[in-house]
Amino acid sequence: NLVTGPADPGFLDAAAEHGLGVVAFSGAQALGTNAAVRERVNRLDKHRALWAWYLIDEPDLHRIPPPEVAQAYHDLRSLAFKPSFLVLMSGSSAEHYGDYTDLLAIDFYPVPWAPVSQFGKEMKLARLERDSKKYFAILQAFNWAAFPGFIDTSVALRSPTIDEIRCMVYMALAQGADGLFFYTY
């Protein structure tokens, strides 16, 4: 019942018409210096379809230092009533970034180069760091071949099987995830 998308009135209106909530891209890294981004957050924060503001995608993968994420989080929280939503590639990164968001999501995608059981470890690391704070699992439901040039590998790329997706669901729930996202089913 949630989708991610632009912080755009038309997109939010369409989501509301279909009973969907939106995790909207905030542009939080530019909040401190960009008046247009600040105005958009102020204008759209009370939209009925807006569920949360997407803070930053995978700062651990993109080597965005925790102080920069912290600044974006504090800038967003100074403007927005709705919660922030931060996505990390690894549950182990929650130790460094977890305090700089209201809602945390982990998007560890194991297929085809890591055992699916590694997904459970990533969820456990996030749960241990988050304690009683909310966190979500973003499950791999795609084939890396859909993103040509993104990954250079000699491993044969494939989509996760239904059994692998089901296993990731169970591991996330067993580790107390508060919700599930499927990228990009």
Side-chain angles (χ1 to χ4, degrees), residues 37-115:
V37 173
R38 294 176 68 79
E39 187 277 326
R40 183 174 58 236
V41 169
N42 278 326
R43 184 171 34 93
L44 298 175
D45 191 56
K46 293 183 181 172
H47 195 287
R48 64 187 172 120
L50 182 68
W51 187 74
W53 289 105
Y54 203 126
L55 191 59
I56 298 174
D57 187 49
E58 298 176 328
D60 51 342
L61 175 66
H62 301 293
R63 297 186 177 149
I64 300 170
E68 191 174 322
V69 176
Q71 185 63 55
Y73 171 66
H74 292 299
D75 288 347
L76 180 64
R77 295 311 306 146
S78 72
L79 295 173
F81 174 74
K82 300 285 175 74
S84 64
F85 187 86
L86 179 70
V87 176
L88 298 174
M89 178 191 74
S90 172
S92 63
S93 296
E95 175 183 359
H96 306 289
Y97 295 94
D99 288 337
Y100 309 125
T101 190
D102 302 310
L103 307 169
L104 180 71
I106 306 299
D107 69 353
F108 181 79
Y109 302 142
V111 175
W113 39 70

Side-chain angles (χ1 to χ4, degrees), residues 108-177:
F108 181 79
Y109 302 142
V111 175
W113 39 70
V116 173
S117 60
Q118 182 71 26
F119 183 84
K121 177 186 175 195
E122 299 298 331
M123 294 301 106
K124 182 176 184 176
L125 290 169
R127 178 185 53 81
L128 291 171
E129 181 59 35
R130 291 298 280 177
D131 193 28
S132 62
K133 298 176 197 165
K134 290 190 182 274
Y135 86 98
F136 300 83
I138 302 177
L139 288 81
Q140 179 182 357
F142 68 92
N143 183 334
W144 281 106
F147 303 94
F150 189 77
I151 295 193
D152 184 23
T153 182
S154 60
V155 176
L157 301 176
R158 65 177 179 82
S159 297
T161 66
I162 293 298
D163 287 341
E164 288 170 326
I165 292 173
R166 183 180 297 120
C167 184
M168 288 187 277
V169 166
Y170 291 150
M171 285 188 280
L173 295 175
Q175 290 301 330

